[in-house]
Amino acid sequence: GVSRLRQRGNAVLAGNVTLVNRRPSARRPYELSPSQLRQSFAQKGWSRVVGFHTRNVCHRAHEYIQLKALEMTNADGLFINPITGPKKAGDFVSRPIMKSYQVLFDQGDIYPADKIALGSFSTYPRYAGPREAVFTALCRKNLGCSHFIIGRDHTGTGNFYEQDANQKLVEQLGSIGIELVFFNAVGYLLEENRYAFPEEGGNLTSISGTKVRQALRSGQTLPDWFIRDPVQAMLRDEIAAGREIFVP
């Protein structure tokens, strides 16, 4: 995303934007405008809303930090807002990402039904690390969120950015009008059967979207503590039906 932007030259256009017609989209029920989302939150009685940005299907580490953030911020609701624009080859396409969350919501006992909302974020990832972390936070402020989750490698690529780069940039910028909730990588302590952060010590097994994609490509089944069985079953059904789950 960064290299693509730089290849476009040194001039950009600015000005008022007018929507003439909305483009066709299979995700229309999830594509709400900022004013529609703000109205929806107000109707729910939510004034404290914590937003979550992702480009992966939901795994257990994401579940953990989402619910942890909901508790830590004392928010009225959690707004899960996956990115659904074009991505790089090998990333998940949008359909299974949105479907993974719907599968979890349908379980009924994973997320609190009165504190959860799902909507798509129809733009593309720049993989620009700290700067994109700030950009995605500002977008969620516009959508009506009061808080925003930033993970260890939020919107990065590989190990290009330092682990504390997000926090360093935010400290440099000061207040951006939305409260940021930082999380380190979440892992699983097999011997204690619980999720934890590296600073808690112990032999953590890492959980990531990369490992989920690798397992699906190789036909490997991951344990339920890594990614829930109903989500894995949905993904394998998509593959069996001949539907593409990765960007070619």
Side-chain angles (χ1 to χ4, degrees):
V2 176
S3 60
R4 184 169 65 242
L5 179 63
R6 287 178 171 169
Q7 288 166 10
R8 291 178 176 173
N10 297 322
V12 295
L13 298 178
N16 294 331
V17 177
T18 302
L19 176 63
V20 179
N21 286 306
R22 294 190 66 177
R23 63 183 181 180
S25 172
R27 297 177 297 279
R28 182 59 58 80
Y30 296 108
E31 292 178 349
L32 299 179
S33 68
S35 59
Q36 288 173 322
L37 275 168
R38 287 173 176 269
Q39 184 178 15
S40 174
F41 295 158
Q43 288 173 345
K44 294 174 186 289
W46 293 1
S47 59
R48 294 172 66 86
V49 183
V50 58
F52 181 77
H53 171 104
T54 184
R55 67 176 190 266
N56 280 305
V57 298
C58 190
H59 52 66
R60 298 296 288 270
H62 281 173
E63 284 182 43
Y64 184 80
I65 64 173
Q66 289 162 3
L67 294 172
K68 198 74 163 174
L70 188 59
E71 175 189 341
M72 289 168 53
T73 60
N74 195 30
D76 302 307
L78 169 68
F79 178 48
I80 298 173
N81 196 206
I83 194 164
T84 54
K87 306 178 192 75
K88 63 181 173 62
D91 276 2
F92 281 105
V93 297
S94 300
R95 175 186 167 87
I97 298 173
M98 302 303 293
K99 203 169 179 180
S100 73
Y101 281 101
Q102 202 58 63
V103 165
L104 293 177
F105 294 171
D106 291 345
Q107 297 296 302
D109 59 351
I110 297 170
Y111 293 98
D114 60 340
K115 291 192 171 187
I116 196 74
L118 176 67
S120 62
F121 184 43
S122 189
T123 187
Y124 61 93
R126 281 79 172 169
Y127 309 97
R131 292 184 180 184
E132 190 169 0
V134 172
F135 167 72
T136 52
L138 291 172
C139 289
R140 278 22 178 262
K141 179 178 75 168
N142 190 37
L143 297 180
C145 294
S146 59
H147 296 71
F148 185 63
I149 298 167
I150 302 238
R152 178 191 61 81
D153 187 30
H154 187 95
T155 70
T157 179
N159 295 313
F160 185 83
Y161 300 100
E162 295 179 4
Q163 289 192 10
D164 61 349
N166 290 328
Q167 285 183 278
K168 283 182 177 178
L169 179 59
V170 170
E171 288 170 3
Q172 177 185 334
L173 293 174
S175 174
I176 60 171
I178 183 169
E179 190 168 333
L180 304 180
V181 187
F182 291 97
F183 282 101
N184 204 336
V186 176
Y188 189 70
L189 289 169
L190 287 167
E191 62 275 15
E192 299 182 28
N193 190 31
R194 69 180 179 91
Y195 300 92
F197 298 104
E199 57 266 27
E200 297 178 57
N203 186 24
L204 279 181
T205 301
S206 65
I207 300 173
S208 69
T210 300
K211 290 185 177 181
V212 173
R213 294 192 295 270
Q214 289 171 346
L216 288 167
R217 287 194 179 95
S218 64
Q220 176 189 0
T221 299
L222 292 167
D224 186 72
W225 57 258
F226 198 111
I227 180 172
R228 291 189 187 267
D229 292 336
V231 174
Q232 282 193 93
M234 178 274 292
L235 293 169
R236 297 194 190 286
D237 286 347
E238 291 284 297
I239 294 171
R243 288 188 283 267
E244 185 63 69
I245 66 170
F246 300 117
V247 177

